[in-house]
Structures are given as C-alpha cells and as structure tokens.
Amino acid sequence: MPHHPHRRTLLLGAAGFALTALTYRAKAQSEVVQGRLIFSENAKIPKGRITISLSNPGQPGTSDPALEFDLISTGRAKRIDFTLSSAALSALSPTLQVVARLERADGWLIARGSTKMPTGSPIHITLNTVMY
C-alpha cells in the first residue's frame, strides 16, 4: 500500500514555497528603478524619439550601448514614466548619470536633460530645449 504524506508535511511544504516566492518577488521589485521625464516649464513633451542612456561624466565616451533604450513621445503627454533595471546598474560607477535626449524624426536634437543616478529613489529628468 502506498504511503501518503501527512497533511502537516504538505502544509509546511506549501508555506515554504509561498515564503520563497514572496522573497523572490520582493527582491525582483527592489531591482527596478522608476523614472519620470518632464519638459521644461511643465509643457507637453514634443513629438519625437527619446533616447535614455547612462554615462560616467568623469570618463567621456564610456556610454554603454547595452544600457541605452528608446521611448517615443507622441507630443500629447506632459510626462513619460519609465523603468530601469538596477541589476544592470549595480556594477557601474557611483558617479553615473542618466542622460535623456529628445530628437525629431529627422535626427535634429530638440531637448536634453540629465541627472545623477540616485540610490534608492526615483529618477526625475527635466528636458530643456537645446539652443543652437
């Protein structure tokens, strides 16, 4: 006759699994850095492509293309929220900067903004119009 596991054994196993799942979920959430882009004077962000990259101001030209991504602005929003994975950021320099560039469809730079990479707090970048 097969041996059936005790009810207490099953409940302890399920509780252990649930605790592990909750711990993993909390860890995964802490590896994410939230960010927000706004345009100067709280105006609508112009239509175009926004490139967000990470750079080290002490070492020019050290921007890693793997840590760069694009957002699209439709020209209707006053703010754009985004998320960065801090797992990729943890090995980088503490002087790291987050740089956002807004370009028109023809590649003409419209606005730029940057901020230092904060530890444990959201990123806020204000895009300022570029003057030529």
Side-chain angles (χ1 to χ4, degrees):
M1 185 165 197
H3 175 69
H4 296 291
H6 296 292
R7 184 176 185 188
R8 186 171 68 167
T9 305
L10 288 174
L11 289 174
L12 284 174
F17 177 76
L19 182 61
T20 302
L22 287 174
T23 303
Y24 178 75
R25 185 175 182 184
K27 183 179 178 187
Q29 287 176 349
S30 68
E31 293 177 354
V32 170
V33 177
Q34 300 295 325
R36 175 171 289 167
L37 287 171
I38 60 171
F39 199 68
S40 60
E41 299 177 13
N42 203 24
K44 290 183 179 179
I45 299 172
K47 184 177 182 178
R49 184 185 70 173
I50 301 168
T51 302
I52 297 178
S53 62
L54 304 171
S55 67
N56 193 342
Q59 301 170 348
T62 57
S63 177
D64 186 355
L67 298 175
E68 190 173 286
F69 67 96
D70 293 337
L71 300 170
I72 300 296
S73 172
T74 60
R76 297 180 189 153
K78 286 191 173 188
R79 71 174 195 231
I80 297 176
D81 295 328
F82 62 93
T83 304
L84 292 175
S85 168
S86 66
L89 307 175
S90 62
L92 299 173
S93 169
T95 61
L96 190 68
Q97 277 194 338
V98 182
V99 179
R101 297 172 47 95
L102 173 61
E103 297 176 354
R104 291 190 316 204
D106 62 1
W108 195 260
L109 183 65
I110 300 172
R112 183 184 183 282
S114 65
T115 186
K116 288 186 179 181
M117 185 69 186
T119 54
S121 61
I123 299 169
H124 295 284
I125 300 175
T126 301
L127 294 170
N128 296 301
T129 304
V130 175
M131 303 298 239
Y132 287 100

